Amino acid sequence: MVEKVLERIPFAYGSTAILASTFFFHILNCVIIRASRRSKERSSSSSFAELSTNWKYRNITVSWAHAVIAGIWNLIVFYCYCNELMENLIEYYNVNIYILVCVSTGYFLYDFIDVVVNCSFISSWEIRLHHVVVSAAFLVNIFQCRFLGYSVVALLAEANSIFLHLRKLLQFFKVHSSHWSYCLVIFLNLFTFVSCRFLCIGWIAHALYAYYDSFSSLHLLLLAPSTFIMWCINAVLFWRLVSRDILRSQPDRHCSSRSAINSRHLKNLSNDYPLNNNGKKLNGVVHQPYEHMD
């Protein structure tokens, strides 16, 4: 049986939670900047010095922190209130669900401002479009206290963002693509991308079709184009991940194995027949300088 639906929460409470969330992630960004400066002073590594002043690194770190918070929180909500949500995704909500959506909306607001200030429009248009579309839909849901269940469904994507952003952080720290930790993150990223991102988009698209009469004109105006936009953005992103992590890794492994074979072959030649720098005759044998052939 579905738990009694709460009375409508005043939007003032929701807006306060949104602003508090925005401020929290701004403070987190400031903490990362300060910690990076201190570490930069103590570290003699030039690569770490470059990393500590990299805006994209700070932005990805804050995004990863939000993904961990919202992703784990979202899974707990689904575990605790699965039956209630499945019976009524449109009307059912509680304080945990309400605050979760507010916190994520506040993060999207923070990240939008951060991207606008620090990044060019051309290189970040998909991020801005994503944040505008999602934030608009979430704000309407928070104001009306309806469709918050579908907001929780949409936030399933944050479970994937944990590994999506962690993949980028490993690249920042120059973890090799053949390392077991990077390979594990790649697998979990692609698996959760399909099971979380595509699942939640398909779920919402099905709801728009099956329960068309339950949606107001405003929700249809927001959700229909936003669902299509999110599907396109995620399809492009998924293809980029597959092409970079799966398709491109095959030639890299092939080239690496060939290089290793050539290196061993060169070592064997040098042991059997010592060469000088000009490839002249040594030990009665004429040798030419070794050339790597692809």
Side-chain angles (χ1 to χ4, degrees):
M1 184 176 180
V2 178
E3 182 181 322
K4 182 179 179 181
V5 177
L6 294 176
E7 294 183 1
R8 182 173 175 177
I9 299 176
F11 184 66
Y13 296 163
S15 58
T16 302
I18 292 170
L19 293 176
S21 173
T22 303
F23 183 70
F24 167 79
F25 286 107
H26 173 68
I27 293 298
L28 179 59
N29 181 58
C30 293
V31 169
I32 295 172
I33 293 175
R34 187 169 182 178
S36 298
R37 287 176 179 173
R38 288 186 176 182
S39 299
K40 180 181 177 180
E41 294 173 355
R42 299 174 182 176
S43 175
S44 59
S45 173
S46 59
S47 60
F48 184 83
E50 294 176 0
L51 180 62
S52 63
T53 57
N54 191 322
W55 164 79
K56 193 171 184 180
Y57 163 73
R58 299 197 308 271
N59 180 267
I60 294 294
T61 303
V62 174
S63 298
W64 179 75
H66 167 258
V68 171
I69 294 171
I72 295 176
W73 191 349
N74 190 69
L75 293 176
I76 292 173
V77 164
F78 259 105
Y79 178 78
C80 295
Y81 310 107
C82 179
N83 294 333
E84 292 84 350
L85 287 168
M86 293 303 99
E87 288 189 30
N88 194 349
L89 280 168
I90 296 176
E91 299 294 341
Y92 178 78
Y93 73 98
N94 55 39
V95 175
N96 284 330
I97 293 173
Y98 187 83
I99 298 299
L100 168 61
V101 178
C102 290
V103 168
S104 291
T105 305
Y107 161 74
F108 291 136
L109 177 60
Y110 155 79
D111 197 52
F112 178 81
I113 296 172
D114 190 42
V115 171
V116 168
V117 172
N118 294 286
C119 195
S120 65
F121 177 81
I122 296 178
S123 61
S124 63
W125 66 269
E126 70 276 12
I127 299 176
R128 300 186 190 194
L129 182 61
H130 167 270
H131 288 353
V132 168
V133 167
V134 173
S135 297
F138 280 14
L139 282 171
V140 172
N141 294 346
I142 293 169
F143 178 76
Q144 296 184 347
C145 290
R146 299 182 74 233
F147 299 97
L148 289 171
Y150 283 107
S151 297
V152 172
V153 171
L155 287 173
L156 277 173
E158 295 305 319
N160 165 252
S161 295
I162 296 174
F163 305 105
L164 181 66
H165 298 319
L166 184 57
R167 168 185 173 274
K168 193 65 180 178
L169 289 175
L170 291 176
Q171 292 177 356
F172 275 119
F173 286 105
K174 302 185 185 304
V175 177
H176 197 272
S177 59
S178 62
H179 194 271
W180 69 267
S181 60
Y182 192 87
C183 294
L184 178 62
V185 169
I186 286 176
F187 170 76
L188 293 174
N189 181 36
L190 295 177
F191 175 77
T192 55
F193 203 108
V194 175
S195 60
C196 293
R197 286 185 181 267
F198 286 141
L199 173 65
C200 72
I201 295 175
W203 197 340
I204 294 173
H206 173 265
L208 287 172
Y209 174 79
Y211 308 109
Y212 178 87
D213 296 337
S214 301
F215 291 86
S216 64
S217 300
L218 179 61
H219 276 96
L220 289 174
L221 183 64
L222 286 173
L223 290 177
S226 65
T227 301
F228 176 75
I229 291 171
M230 291 305 301
W231 180 267
C232 294
I233 291 176
N234 282 287
V236 172
L237 178 57
F238 184 73
W239 169 247
R240 288 178 181 175
L241 292 171
V242 171
S243 61
R244 292 174 183 175
D245 293 339
I246 304 299
L247 302 181
R248 186 180 296 180
S249 64
Q250 301 302 324
D252 290 344
R253 292 194 187 99
H254 182 61
C255 291
S256 299
S257 62
R258 291 185 63 185
S259 298
I261 293 172
N262 287 332
S263 297
R264 289 195 296 269
H265 180 60
L266 177 59
K267 184 177 180 180
N268 293 333
L269 286 176
S270 62
N271 291 334
D272 295 337
Y273 305 103
L275 302 175
N276 66 8
N277 292 333
N278 298 320
K280 294 182 178 179
K281 182 177 180 180
L282 291 176
N283 294 340
V285 181
V286 177
H287 295 286
Q288 296 300 326
Y290 179 82
E291 295 182 2
H292 176 75
M293 299 182 63
D294 291 326

